[in-house]
Amino acid sequence: MELTYQGQLTPWLQLQPDAQFVFDPGGGILDPNNSIHVLRDEIVAGVRTNVTF
């Protein structure tokens, strides 16, 4: 699932935060840091900026 929004902060600056929820990202593979557990669901977040000159 993904959630994003783009906001115009000034006439020359846009900001776009983004959040993603990834279900079962490894498809059941083992966690490389702990070989007893499988990889869990993950949340990924980011921000994109657009500047116009």
Side-chain angles (χ1 to χ4, degrees), residues 25-36:
I29 65 171
L30 294 177
D31 185 345
N33 297 318
N34 186 350
S35 61
I36 297 172

Side-chain angles (χ1 to χ4, degrees), residues 4 8-9 15 20-21 25 32-34 36 42-43 47-48:
T4 187
Q8 186 82 36
L9 301 179
L15 188 67
Q20 300 174 16
F21 186 79
N33 297 318
N34 186 350
I36 297 172
E42 296 292 334
I43 297 175
V47 176
R48 177 181 176 183

Side-chain angles (χ1 to χ4, degrees), residues 36-49:
I36 297 172
H37 297 97
V38 295
L39 291 176
R40 297 184 190 175
D41 298 340
E42 296 292 334
I43 297 175
V44 180
V47 176
R48 177 181 176 183
T49 56

